[in-house]
Structures are given as structure tokens and as C-alpha cells.
């Protein structure tokens, strides 16, 4: 199992993890509502901003967006688990204006002109878990 280092309160994403997040077409985002009802949705626009933060563009989120507003904890995993066998957990920051939002809108419109993002959602990764089949599945990566 790959060991990751921790800086302050955040886990550091390896270059391989960052590359896999950037190159995957779909990132799965898990949230929970105020009653702890889980919700998982595919996200088409996600990329690391640095080795602690992943940008998710909120295009079609409805329940998920409300969940994030009421509960900042979230988790993501890439669809290509063989390329990146990790789950990333942390807290989100929602930006509905400002630089992160403007950058998210520009990126989304460069991919599909008719997209109208609601927000830039920044996941600050504070836990990483293995989803690799085998004895380390479910174990926290330190």
C-alpha cells in the first residue's frame, strides 16, 4: 500500500492520485442530507487544484448541492478504480462567486458551452482510504 504524508489537517495527494482524478471522465461524489440519507452522483468536471484540494463543478446538482450546503462532509472516488484505488474524504467549501467560481464557469463552458455552473465546490481532502481489493481494502492511508 502507498503511504501518503499529512500536512496540517490535510492529506497530501500523490502525483498519481492527482493525475487519475484529472483524467477520469467521472468522479463519484457521496454526500448525506440532514437526516443522514446518503446520496451518490457522478461528476463530470473535477480536477485537483493542488495536492490537498479537488475542484468539483456543480452543474446539475440538486439534492447534492442542498446536502453540501447543510453538511460540508463529502467523499469522492474515481470511476477508474484500477487506476486510482482510493476514496478521498473531507470538507467542502462552496463558492458561488469569485475567482474559483469564475474559473469553474470558464472551464465548464470550454467543455460544453450550454453549461451554467451553480458553484465551484472545493473538497479539502483530510482522509484517504484504500478501495483496492484485498487485505488493505477499507484501510486508511497514512
Amino acid at each position: 500500500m502507498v503511504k501518503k504524508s499529512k500536512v496540517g489537517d490535510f492529506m497530501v495527494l500523490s502525483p498519481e492520485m492527482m493525475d487519475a482524478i484529472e483524467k477520469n471522465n467521472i468522479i463519484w461524489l457521496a454526500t448525506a442530507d440532514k437526516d443522514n440519507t446518503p446520496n451518490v452522483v457522478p461528476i463530470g468536471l473535477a480536477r485537483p487544484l493542488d495536492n490537498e484540494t479537488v475542484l468539483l463543478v456543480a452543474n446539475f446538482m440538486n439534492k447534492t448541492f442542498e446536502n453540501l450546503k447543510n453538511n460540508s462532509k463529502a467523499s469522492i472516488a474515481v470511476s477508474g478504480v484500477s487506476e486510482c484505488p482510493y476514496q478521498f474524504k473531507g470538507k467542502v467549501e462552496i463558492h458561488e462567486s469569485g475567482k474559483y467560481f469564475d474559473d469553474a464557469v470558464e472551464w465548464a463552458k470550454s467543455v460544453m458551452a450550454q453549461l451554467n455552473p451553480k458553484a465551484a465546490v472545493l473538497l479539502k481532502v483530510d482522509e484517504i482510504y484504500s478501495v483496492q481489493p484485498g487485505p488493505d481494502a477499507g484501510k486508511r492511508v497514512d
Side-chain angles (χ1 to χ4, degrees):
M1 173 178 284
V2 177
K3 295 285 184 187
K4 297 290 129 232
S5 61
K6 189 169 184 172
V7 175
D9 292 331
F10 302 106
M11 291 296 294
V12 174
L13 302 172
S14 70
E16 295 81 16
M17 290 173 176
M18 293 172 62
D19 192 50
I21 292 168
E22 179 114 24
K23 290 183 177 177
N24 266 269
N25 292 330
I26 299 294
I27 301 296
W28 294 98
L29 171 62
T31 62
D33 68 14
K34 62 184 180 213
D35 298 320
N36 293 318
T37 303
N39 187 56
V40 177
V41 295
I43 302 295
L45 293 172
R47 68 176 172 205
L49 294 181
D50 56 42
N51 64 3
E52 301 171 347
T53 311
V54 178
L55 165 67
L56 309 166
V57 180
N59 285 302
F60 304 111
M61 295 179 187
N62 291 312
K63 285 185 289 187
T64 302
F65 198 58
E66 285 304 310
N67 290 352
L68 292 172
K69 286 181 176 181
N70 294 311
N71 177 358
S72 65
K73 293 180 181 178
S75 179
I76 62 170
V78 299
S79 61
V81 174
S82 61
E83 300 164 33
C84 185
Y86 301 101
Q87 175 191 53
F88 306 95
K89 295 183 180 189
K91 289 189 176 181
V92 299
E93 299 172 1
I94 298 172
H95 297 266
E96 297 179 82
S97 62
K99 179 178 176 12
Y100 291 120
F101 176 73
D102 294 343
D103 290 349
V105 169
E106 181 180 337
W107 179 33
K109 291 196 174 285
S110 75
V111 172
M112 187 182 297
Q114 61 268 42
L115 291 176
N116 289 307
K118 297 176 188 183
V121 177
L122 304 185
L123 176 70
K124 295 295 220 171
V125 176
D126 58 20
E127 297 178 274
I128 301 173
Y129 290 86
S130 172
V131 296
Q132 180 74 43
D136 290 331
K139 289 186 180 175
R140 185 173 170 150
V141 177
D142 294 318

